Amino acid sequence: MRKHQRFLLFLLALLAMLLPGGTQAETEAQDVISRCHIWLSYNRSARNRLTDNSYMTYWPSGEQGWIEIQTPEEEPCFGLYIKWAEQLCDWVIETPDEQGEWQCILQAPAVKYYHQYVPFEQGLTHFRLRNISDIEMCINEIHALSAGALPDWVQ
């Protein structure tokens, strides 16, 4: 009887390893924002507020402001995790075309949250988050995530 139980357990373990998503865990996405070049349209002296891990500080964009991010070529961004402060605004994600003109590739969802994960279908190495509201865009924190499973701290 024990031989049959051991054989069944062996088969179950083998099956779990062969099925997609079995025991091989997907690598966790890394926050690469510290290795990115970041340009701000406004309030450039407050850049450190975007990555200081404090809910007490935020970067205000001014009207129609933007954050431009360029990742290292070998570490494309597959999603942004944004922690908004104060009011929530409308925004877009843009990438430059061959002539350097900014093209919208993603519009903010209609439903707004103070913590928002924005996945990208493909990895981006150069993009910007641009405010399209009449109100100021205020961001507590921004994280650029690599490929992989979302970390537990992403809500």
Side-chain angles (χ1 to χ4, degrees), residues 11 37-39 61 63 88-89 93-94 100 125 135 143 149 151 153:
L11 284 179
H37 292 286
I38 299 174
W39 296 272
S61 71
E63 291 183 19
L88 297 172
C89 64
I93 298 289
E94 299 174 320
T125 57
I135 59 173
H143 303 273
W153 49 266

Side-chain angles (χ1 to χ4, degrees), residues 22-57:
T23 58
Q24 296 177 348
E26 184 179 6
T27 304
E28 186 174 278
Q30 300 298 308
D31 183 7
V32 298
I33 198 73
S34 65
R35 295 183 293 281
C36 295
H37 292 286
I38 299 174
W39 296 272
L40 304 172
S41 61
Y42 178 75
N43 228 348
R44 292 175 183 99
S45 63
R47 180 196 177 283
N48 67 325
R49 295 179 187 174
L50 291 168
T51 57
D52 66 1
N53 291 317
S54 173
Y55 284 102
M56 303 302 289
T57 62

Side-chain angles (χ1 to χ4, degrees), residues 119-152:
F120 300 148
E121 288 184 25
Q122 59 186 15
L124 301 176
T125 57
H126 192 194
F127 59 93
R128 73 178 180 181
L129 170 69
R130 185 172 63 87
N131 181 10
I132 58 170
S133 293
D134 292 333
I135 59 173
E136 191 167 56
M137 178 170 66
C138 298
I139 298 177
N140 281 110
E141 296 289 322
I142 192 163
H143 303 273
L145 298 174
S146 67
L150 289 181
D152 291 342

Side-chain angles (χ1 to χ4, degrees), residues 70-125:
Q70 187 168 13
T71 72
E73 285 294 321
E74 67 279 2
E75 293 183 295
C77 177
F78 283 84
L80 283 180
Y81 184 50
I82 307 162
K83 297 176 185 177
W84 300 99
E86 297 185 5
Q87 57 222 10
L88 297 172
C89 64
D90 293 320
W91 50 269
V92 294
I93 298 289
E94 299 174 320
T95 57
D97 63 16
E98 295 80 30
Q99 291 78 34
E101 298 293 321
W102 291 100
Q103 304 297 316
C104 177
I105 62 163
L106 189 128
Q107 186 118 12
V111 178
K112 295 175 174 62
Y113 297 101
Y114 279 97
H115 286 216
Q116 193 164 29
Y117 175 68
V118 183
F120 300 148
E121 288 184 25
Q122 59 186 15
L124 301 176
T125 57

